[in-house]
Amino acid sequence: RMIRERTANVSCWLQSAEPRFPQEGDERIDALPTTIEGLKEFDAIVLLDPDPEDLDAQAAEALKTFVAEHKGGLLYVAGPKHTQALLARPDLKPLRDLLPVAPGELLDARAAAAEPWPLRATADGADHPSTRLEPDPERCRYLWSRLPGLFFSYPVRSEKAGSTVLV
């Protein structure tokens, strides 16, 4: 967990928590910053299946500016609960534009695999700094194949120009 990393200053906001829930982190936040001024306080933002009800066009545009103009990091993790609604909202297009893939269509958001989908490092992923588990690419591919796998994956139509599939 990032909170345990002593060299990182982490703020967490559990979107689904009650308002008085004690949020974890080095600096408490009560909401996702939705302006570029608020976002610039951070190096990176991690969105784990965010509920689009707490996002609007201003927040989406601020996130796009944060990444495109201020070189902020953004990790978006699709999930079975809110991703389909987020992708359907026209006003959140600036956020969708940041995705390195063209999303497909999820037919049943409640569907989950009974068995995990295996993970495999691609040739690029076996030697990429963000997915390299071992210096040796062959050993790295082997280690990725030994990981438990995923029970949910949002369909992707294609990767966008300039993106690289790592796993």
Side-chain angles (χ1 to χ4, degrees):
R1 293 178 42 180
M2 290 181 66
I3 291 173
R4 294 183 187 144
E5 176 57 46
R6 294 185 192 274
T7 62
N9 189 7
V10 177
S11 295
C12 297
W13 173 57
L14 180 59
Q15 188 179 24
S16 61
E18 295 295 320
R20 293 177 22 173
F21 178 79
Q23 302 286 354
E24 293 188 56
D26 301 304
E27 294 182 32
R28 183 187 162 110
I29 59 172
D30 295 320
L32 175 71
T34 58
T35 64
I36 190 60
E37 292 78 23
L39 290 169
K40 283 172 32 179
E41 296 294 317
F42 300 91
D43 293 322
I45 304 295
V46 179
L47 299 174
L48 302 174
D49 195 17
D51 185 343
E53 291 304 312
D54 288 328
L55 297 172
D56 59 16
Q58 176 186 335
E61 195 59 50
L63 283 165
K64 187 172 184 176
T65 301
F66 173 69
V67 172
E69 296 177 21
H70 297 279
K71 309 302 182 221
L74 176 66
L75 173 63
Y76 175 82
V77 180
K81 192 167 184 180
H82 299 296
T83 297
Q84 193 156 356
L86 184 140
L87 294 174
R89 291 254 311 264
D91 61 326
L92 299 182
K93 183 180 183 308
L95 178 56
R96 286 193 305 279
D97 289 346
L98 293 171
L99 299 177
V101 296
E105 189 174 332
L106 186 63
L107 300 177
D108 184 356
R110 296 165 300 168
E115 298 290 323
W117 286 303
L119 299 170
R120 289 182 315 197
T122 64
D124 290 325
D127 198 34
H128 191 276
S130 65
T131 51
R132 187 183 306 130
L133 301 176
E134 280 280 327
D136 174 43
E138 285 304 314
R139 176 88 175 129
C140 180
R141 275 195 279 279
Y142 169 76
L143 291 173
W144 272 102
S145 73
R146 302 288 299 155
L147 292 173
L150 301 172
F151 285 90
F152 175 80
S153 175
Y154 200 90
V156 170
R157 251 191 339 250
S158 63
E159 63 266 13
K160 291 180 182 175
S163 64
T164 302
V165 177
L166 302 175
V167 177

